[in-house]
Every structure is written in structure tokens, then in C-alpha cells.
Amino acid sequence: MGSLSNTSPMAQLSHFCLALLPPSASSAPFCLQFHPRISFPTPSFQIRACSSSSSTSISAAKPKVVVTRERGKNGKLIKALAKHGINCLELPLIQHTEGPDLDRLPSVLSNTSFDWVVITSPEAGSVFLEAWKAAGTPNVKIGVVGAGTASIFNEVVQSSGQSLDIAFAPSKATGKVLASELPKSENGRCTVLYPASAKASNEIEEGLSNRGFEVVRLNAYSTVPVDHVDQMVLKQALFCPVIAVASPSAVRAWFNLISESKQWNNSVACIGETTASAAKSLGLKNVYFPTHPGFEGWVGSILEASRAHDNS
């Protein structure tokens, strides 16, 4: 039977949120400004094994964890695990593409005033920042789902005097809790712009609408499986004790890869409960996830899965 991870100190998100975000929308906001970023990565790439060069013993060890985020976005996790003596194998499973509403996002930001812009993932934050710059950097008030998403805005630096107001994060980093806790004015209409993945559920807009918010959802990006998986790297990945996944799309991509192989029953370490639910619904066993979703909790769940394997 699968095991569920318990809350660990690494799973706690609150200390990081407090460093970045005010406890409520009424607290004094801090201001950030746009810093240009590279747009969507091209689909073609080479999959490679990665390890930290800081330790000869680590780099020489067999990989224990498969990291699966889009190419170029696994470095932080690889470095964090290397500090615990864990070597990683990089096997990107998903890539981000433009969504059907991406072109509309700058004009909507330019022509419409919203009480809130809700950002629920780092990729949504990156897409929003590009559209925000194209729209002329209008003043906006932003609610983020958690510290991982808020960190995207750390790359924004002081420039022309325009500001971003990062004014809200929920008590737990999930869309459901965000929708239930986003502050709402008692009088008059309250409008929300929600730049989302085309694959995202309707949980957030339905939760907000049920509370009386007027929500404009734009499907600004999408997440799709990679075009090509190196079969030699995949064979290595199948023998790694733990695979680390950060989205339901990555879980589904992994499941499709292993469905043609022999039975696979190693551990899946998920960034949060939503991803873990997707893994369990597909019948994957030994699913670990933090009580409080986010990067630190994810690292804790990976370590717990790795220790369970070592002790088995």
C-alpha cells in the first residue's frame, strides 16, 4: 500500500510567506517592478543527467531522484537535494506552450481595471509579468497562491516607478483555500482577473463566483508532454527510488511512459495535495506530499520518500 508523508519542519511554508507577503490585504504592501525574462522555451531539447559539482562523492553516486520539471527549471531542486547527499537524474516530462487567450491578456490589462489579479503558479506569474509589461505596467493588486509563486516576482526590479502590489496569500497554498479567503469588499462589485493554464480545473473561479466575485479567466498558457524522451535516460529513471513531480500534467506524462514498461512501484514525491491526488487516481503507489504545499515541503517529502526506500 502507498504511504502518505507527514508534516515535517521542511514542509512548513509559513515562515517564508511571512518574509514575502503581508498577512492580509490590509497590511502595507511592498512594491516591485518588472524585470524582462526569456519567453516560452522551445519544445526541442536534450534530456540529460544532472548532479551537483560541489561534491565528488555525490556526483559519482547513482541518482536516487528523478526531477521532471521543464528544462531549465530543475536547478533549484537539484541543488537543494545535493545538500542532503542526493544525486538527481533530470528527465523533463512537460513543457509550457502558449494558451488560446495569451494574446488577449495585455489588452485586457490595459483596458480593464480589476480589484485583484490571481496568480496560482510560477508559470502563470511569468506569463502575467510579460503581458503586464506589454500593457504598460498598469497598477494592479495581486493575490498569489503561495511562496513559490510569489518568488517569481522577486525577479522584478525597480525601474520606471510603476508598481506591483503583492497583497495576499492564503493560509494554505491551494487554489481552494485561496478562493475561500481572498478579501472581498463588502459594498459593490469585486472583480478578479485569473490568468490560468488551459488545463487548470474550474475550482478557483467557481469558488470565487460563489462568494460573489466577478471572475475573468484567460487561458494564457498550457502544459503538454515533451515531444521526445531519451530512452536511455528513461531506463535509468525507472530504477531510481523516487520521482519528483510538480503538477498533475507531469504525473500523467510519467504514467503514460511507464504504462508500456514492466510494473513500476517506486515512490512519487509530489509538490502538493492536488498533484498527489492525480497520482493516486492513476493507481500509483507510495505517494508522498507535504501538508503545506510549496518548495520546502516538496523537498521534505522527497527526503522522506528516499529515507523510506533506504529503510525498506
Side-chain angles (χ1 to χ4, degrees), residues 154-225:
N154 292 342
E155 300 177 5
V156 180
V157 295
Q158 290 269 325
S159 58
S160 63
Q162 299 293 334
S163 66
L164 288 167
D165 179 3
I166 315 301
F168 172 76
S171 60
K172 186 176 181 180
T174 68
K176 182 178 181 179
V177 176
L178 183 150
S180 69
E181 294 182 351
L182 188 72
K184 182 178 183 293
S185 173
E186 295 295 332
N187 300 316
R189 61 198 294 259
C190 196
T191 57
V192 175
L193 175 63
Y194 174 34
S197 166
K199 298 281 182 71
S201 71
N202 297 325
E203 181 178 62
I204 288 176
E205 62 260 40
E206 287 180 355
L208 291 172
S209 296
N210 289 339
R211 293 180 56 211
F213 286 90
E214 296 180 18
V215 182
V216 175
R217 171 175 172 161
L218 295 181
N219 291 323
Y221 70 100
S222 188
T223 305
V224 298

Side-chain angles (χ1 to χ4, degrees), residues 22-288:
S24 69
S26 62
S27 299
F30 59 87
C31 294
L32 298 168
Q33 291 195 317
F34 181 77
H35 176 68
R37 70 181 284 276
I38 299 173
S39 58
F40 289 100
T42 55
S44 58
F45 58 84
Q46 292 181 343
I47 296 171
R48 66 191 189 280
C50 288
S51 62
S52 170
S53 59
S54 62
S55 170
T56 303
S57 61
I58 292 174
S59 61
K62 290 183 179 180
K64 293 184 68 174
V65 177
V66 183
V67 294
T68 61
R69 272 181 160 167
E70 192 171 18
R71 186 190 182 199
K73 298 182 180 179
N74 291 298
K76 182 180 178 181
L77 183 58
I78 290 170
K79 184 177 180 180
L81 293 173
K83 292 178 180 179
H84 296 275
I86 292 179
N87 195 32
C88 295
L89 179 72
E90 186 173 24
L91 181 70
L93 295 178
I94 55 97
Q95 59 193 3
H96 292 112
T97 61
E98 294 184 359
D101 299 327
L102 179 63
D103 292 341
R104 292 177 53 204
L105 186 54
S107 63
V108 169
L109 281 168
S110 298
N111 300 325
T112 309
S113 177
F114 294 92
D115 295 292
W116 288 100
V117 177
V118 169
I119 305 295
T120 58
S121 72
E123 188 62 27
S126 298
V127 170
F128 166 78
L129 285 172
E130 291 184 348
W132 178 74
K133 182 184 179 184
T137 64
N139 291 325
V140 291
K141 186 165 68 172
I142 296 175
V144 295
V145 76
T149 299
S151 68
I152 291 298
F153 296 96
N154 292 342
E155 300 177 5
V156 180
V157 295
Q158 290 269 325
S159 58
S160 63
Q162 299 293 334
S163 66
L164 288 167
D165 179 3
I166 315 301
F168 172 76
S171 60
K172 186 176 181 180
T174 68
K176 182 178 181 179
V177 176
L178 183 150
S180 69
E181 294 182 351
L182 188 72
K184 182 178 183 293
S185 173
E186 295 295 332
N187 300 316
R189 61 198 294 259
C190 196
T191 57
V192 175
L193 175 63
Y194 174 34
S197 166
K199 298 281 182 71
S201 71
N202 297 325
E203 181 178 62
I204 288 176
E205 62 260 40
E206 287 180 355
L208 291 172
S209 296
N210 289 339
R211 293 180 56 211
F213 286 90
E214 296 180 18
V215 182
V216 175
R217 171 175 172 161
L218 295 181
N219 291 323
Y221 70 100
S222 188
T223 305
V224 298
V226 294
D227 296 329
H228 172 72
V229 173
D230 186 300
Q231 293 302 303
M232 293 298 293
V233 178
L234 176 59
K235 287 180 180 179
Q236 282 184 277
L238 291 170
F239 289 99
C240 289
V242 182
I243 181 168
V245 288
S247 68
S249 295
V251 170
R252 289 189 289 269
W254 177 249
F255 181 78
N256 289 336
L257 286 175
I258 65 174
S259 62
E260 297 180 2
S261 66
K262 295 180 180 179
Q263 183 178 4
W264 183 88
N265 59 0
N266 288 339
S267 297
V268 183
C270 303
I271 197 169
E273 186 175 355
T274 300
T275 303
S277 295
K280 289 186 286 185
S281 70
L282 292 170
L284 296 175
K285 308 297 183 183
N286 305 316
V287 177
Y288 294 78

